[in-house]
Every structure is written in structure tokens, then in C-alpha cells.
Amino acid sequence: MIDWVTMKISCDHDGIISDGEVVSLSKNGDSIEWSMVKYLHVVGSHDATIRIRSITQQTIEISGNPTKWLQGHNLFGTGDLKHLVWVFFNKLLDIPELKLKPTLEQLHAIKMGKLTVSRVDINETWFLKDRNEVLAWLRAAGQKMRLKHRGAGQFKGDTLYWGNIRSRRWFLKCYSKGDEINSKKSNFPSALRIPEMLEYADRALRIELVLKSNQLREWHLHEVSHWNAETGKMLLLELLKGLEMSNNMELTDEVLANLPTRLKMSYFTWLAGQDLKQILPPRTFYRYRTELKKYDIDIGIMRDVKEERNNVIPLMRVLEAQPVGVPDWAIEQGLVACM
């Protein structure tokens, strides 16, 4: 499903849509160096908000989660970015204080997806038995899985990340949806805490792809018209193919023959399941880790050579299944806004 979106839309409107302005003054205070219009927070379903501001009198910028704004939650939703934007924009037209007055040409362009995005978050959900199993999967993935060319995963709080979150291209993150909606910081609406929704969240292993501006342009996906209903899901599943288990990362005989002796000894020690971080001096460990990463070996991920293979396979097998999608009961109860 499509989650967060940052987009620019051509749309005439009266006045300036903003919540004020940020101004930078020169050192002596006699001139303005730059100024920026602040986002206006607009309330939607179940008090969910989205941010909107004027760029020009004919252009607005929107940033936030349109799915959540429309239906009050983002447990599930549509993967069709073009359709989502069109439904979302039509709801914005019902808000009189925004004073949106799109021309017929602008409306047609929005419906056809003729607008640009600089960030799109795409997520899919896989079901496990319960929340405890989801959390166990996350812990194991953090220890044993790496993303090719991105390295081992890193936890920030309860979320596991693969890749640099400051990247202007993309990164992946993985978390328990049940933990998220039941945390102290959660604003999940009480009206939606029905048994079906809570059970869905508790079983949900959520993996999310965050696409940034540089990657969107490189893949020619910065214009919404280039997306179809399956684009987001296809991209996420394709990138997940780069996930590897630490137990599967081994060097070929050809590479080993040309490997420096010092690295070869460290590699075989790691291959035997030893924790090199406890054996080598810190500087040596990080130097060897950097050098071995050139061969797609990360000695920062320990190998559990004693673990039975049938206990390791489920870690990858979970992701080999198809994501669960939107349940029938959610559609029947009107919990999905864009299907």
C-alpha cells in the first residue's frame, strides 16, 4: 500500500495556504536572507492530519499520509498511487478554508497523474502467528540478515533499518505494526480498535520502502502518471530479493585464493561462528570489516553454525509468501477509503 507521499500539484487557489512563515535575517538584522512558508496542518478522518502549503498561486505542496488522512488508519490501503491522489485531492476540495479553485485543465491533469512526487513510502504486510512471533522474527533478522550493497540491519528503537535513513535514494525499514499502534506515542483511533483490527495489527510484520527524490527521478517515477496499481508492490518485493542470510554468505575458491592472509584468517574465524568483535582490537575489526565488505562479507553479522537449518529457513520463508493485502471484512465494514 501507499503510505507517506510528498507531492507538488498545480492548483489555483486564493491567498496563501500556510501556518505562518520562517524568516532568516542577516547578522545585523537589516535584511532578509531567505524565507519559507510553513505547512498548514489540515485535519481529516479520525483527527489524522496532513501538511499543505502554497508554493505559488498556482502550485501547492502536500506532505503526509493521504491513506491515513482519508480513513483514519494505515493498517491497509491501496497500492494505486494515481487513484489515491485523485480521491485524496477531491476530499481536499471539500475544505472551504483552503480556497482551492482548480481549473478544468488542472483537474484533468491531476486525474491523469500529471504531478510530481519527491517522496513515496510503500509498505506491505506479512502475517505471523502473533506479535511475539513478529518481534522474534525482527530480532533474528537484525542478527542474521543483511541487504546486498547496504549491509547489516540497524535498530533504531523498535524499528529495523536496512540502508541509510538520510539517503536521498531509498532505504527499507521493518517493524511490528501491533507494537506501533499499542505504543504510548500511538494516535491510533479508539473507535477503530475493534477485535479484527487489533488482531490484524498483532500478526502484522510490516516492511516499508522509502523512496526519495533522486531514486524516483532515476527510475522515472517522479511523475505519478508513470505509476500503475502494482508499481509500488513490485519495487518493494524486488528490493527484498537483496536480503541475505549470514549463513549463506561464503566466498568462492577463486576469491579466497587472492585474499590477503590476514583477511583470510579473519574470514575463516568468522565462518566458524566466532565473534570477531570480541577477538580483534576495535580498529582492526572495523578495518577488516570494511575490507571484507568489498566481497559482500559482513563480519559484523555473527554466524550461528550450531543452529539447525530447519530453524533458519522460516526467516526467509516468511518473505517468500505473498503479502496479506486488504482483508474482505475491512472492505465490507467500510474501513478502506480507496478500493
Side-chain angles (χ1 to χ4, degrees), residues 250-260 264 267-268 295:
E250 296 186 17
L251 296 176
T252 64
D253 291 341
E254 183 180 351
V255 173
L256 277 172
N258 296 301
L259 202 66
K264 194 178 298 184
Y267 166 73
F268 281 119
Y295 303 94

Side-chain angles (χ1 to χ4, degrees), residues 307-334:
E307 192 171 51
E308 292 294 328
R309 184 171 176 80
N310 61 0
N311 289 330
V312 176
I313 289 175
L315 201 58
M316 292 298 290
R317 186 179 292 163
V318 168
L319 303 182
E320 290 169 358
Q322 279 295 307
V324 295
V326 181
D328 292 338
W329 54 261
I331 298 172
E332 293 166 2
Q333 296 183 42

Side-chain angles (χ1 to χ4, degrees), residues 1-7 66 78-88 110 113 115 117 119-122 216 221-232:
M1 62 166 279
I2 302 298
D3 212 37
W4 192 280
V5 183
T6 300
M7 53 189 159
T78 182
D80 191 336
L81 177 60
K82 185 162 63 174
H83 180 62
L84 173 63
V85 169
W86 176 243
V87 173
F88 166 71
I110 296 166
L115 60 129
V117 287
R119 172 177 169 175
V120 182
D121 293 9
I122 305 145
L216 287 163
L221 293 173
H222 59 290
E223 188 170 298
V224 174
S225 63
H226 296 164
W227 292 64
N228 62 41
E230 295 296 317
T231 300

Side-chain angles (χ1 to χ4, degrees), residues 100-137:
L100 300 179
K101 296 181 178 179
T103 65
L104 289 176
E105 291 79 9
Q106 288 172 337
L107 282 172
H108 179 72
I110 296 166
K111 188 172 185 179
M112 294 296 103
K114 298 294 184 180
L115 60 129
T116 59
V117 287
S118 57
R119 172 177 169 175
V120 182
D121 293 9
I122 305 145
N123 66 58
E124 294 291 344
T125 295
W126 284 261
F127 266 175
L128 278 74
K129 184 177 69 175
D130 53 31
R131 202 192 315 180
N132 287 334
E133 193 168 289
V134 172
L135 295 174
W137 191 98

Side-chain angles (χ1 to χ4, degrees), residues 75-76 125-131 134 177-178 181-182 188 192-205 327 329:
L75 278 187
F76 34 72
T125 295
W126 284 261
F127 266 175
L128 278 74
K129 184 177 69 175
D130 53 31
R131 202 192 315 180
V134 172
K177 193 62 180 177
I181 72 165
N182 288 293
F188 193 80
L192 297 178
R193 289 184 177 274
I194 60 176
E196 297 95 326
M197 297 282 271
L198 296 177
E199 181 188 3
Y200 185 101
D202 269 351
R203 297 183 61 191
L205 172 69
W329 54 261

Side-chain angles (χ1 to χ4, degrees), residues 108-336:
H108 179 72
I110 296 166
K111 188 172 185 179
M112 294 296 103
K114 298 294 184 180
L115 60 129
T116 59
V117 287
S118 57
R119 172 177 169 175
V120 182
D121 293 9
I122 305 145
N123 66 58
E124 294 291 344
T125 295
W126 284 261
F127 266 175
L128 278 74
K129 184 177 69 175
D130 53 31
R131 202 192 315 180
N132 287 334
E133 193 168 289
V134 172
L135 295 174
W137 191 98
L138 286 167
R139 287 193 298 271
Q143 294 171 354
K144 300 178 180 299
M145 296 180 81
R146 67 187 290 281
L147 187 61
K148 197 170 184 180
H149 307 308
R150 291 294 192 278
Q154 301 289 330
F155 277 99
K156 294 186 184 298
D158 299 322
T159 302
L160 176 61
Y161 291 86
W162 286 290
N164 186 349
I165 63 173
R166 294 183 178 85
S167 171
R168 297 182 68 182
R169 292 189 173 275
W170 63 271
F171 62 87
L172 291 173
K173 60 181 180 178
C174 184
Y175 55 94
S176 161
K177 193 62 180 177
D179 257 22
E180 184 191 60
I181 72 165
N182 288 293
S183 69
K184 292 181 179 179
K185 296 180 180 179
S186 173
N187 58 358
F188 193 80
S190 57
L192 297 178
R193 289 184 177 274
I194 60 176
E196 297 95 326
M197 297 282 271
L198 296 177
E199 181 188 3
Y200 185 101
D202 269 351
R203 297 183 61 191
L205 172 69
R206 173 66 60 82
I207 302 183
E208 196 162 313
L209 166 63
V210 179
L211 281 175
K212 299 288 192 67
S213 57
N214 285 3
Q215 195 65 63
L216 287 163
R217 289 190 174 276
E218 183 176 316
W219 287 346
H220 304 291
L221 293 173
H222 59 290
E223 188 170 298
V224 174
S225 63
H226 296 164
W227 292 64
N228 62 41
E230 295 296 317
T231 300
K233 180 179 177 180
M234 178 192 69
L235 291 172
L236 174 57
L237 296 182
E238 187 62 31
L239 291 173
L240 283 179
K241 292 178 182 178
L243 284 174
E244 299 175 333
M245 294 288 297
S246 61
N247 288 50
N248 294 332
M249 293 182 285
E250 296 186 17
L251 296 176
T252 64
D253 291 341
E254 183 180 351
V255 173
L256 277 172
N258 296 301
L259 202 66
T261 301
R262 56 191 171 78
L263 293 182
K264 194 178 298 184
M265 292 178 61
S266 294
Y267 166 73
F268 281 119
T269 304
W270 168 81
L271 200 64
Q274 298 297 310
D275 185 358
L276 288 174
K277 200 169 186 179
Q278 303 300 319
I279 298 173
L280 298 172
R283 285 188 177 181
T284 304
F285 169 79
Y286 287 111
R287 186 171 70 252
Y288 285 7
R289 186 184 185 194
T290 299
E291 292 184 57
L292 282 166
K293 274 188 174 182
K294 297 174 184 176
Y295 303 94
D296 282 339
I297 296 294
D298 190 346
I299 60 175
I301 304 177
M302 282 189 61
R303 283 172 46 88
D304 191 347
V305 294
K306 295 180 181 179
E307 192 171 51
E308 292 294 328
R309 184 171 176 80
N310 61 0
N311 289 330
V312 176
I313 289 175
L315 201 58
M316 292 298 290
R317 186 179 292 163
V318 168
L319 303 182
E320 290 169 358
Q322 279 295 307
V324 295
V326 181
D328 292 338
W329 54 261
I331 298 172
E332 293 166 2
Q333 296 183 42
L335 296 170
V336 191

Side-chain angles (χ1 to χ4, degrees), residues 90-101:
N90 276 276
K91 288 291 184 182
L92 285 183
L93 294 178
D94 295 335
I95 302 176
E97 55 266 34
L98 293 179
K99 300 179 181 177
L100 300 179
K101 296 181 178 179

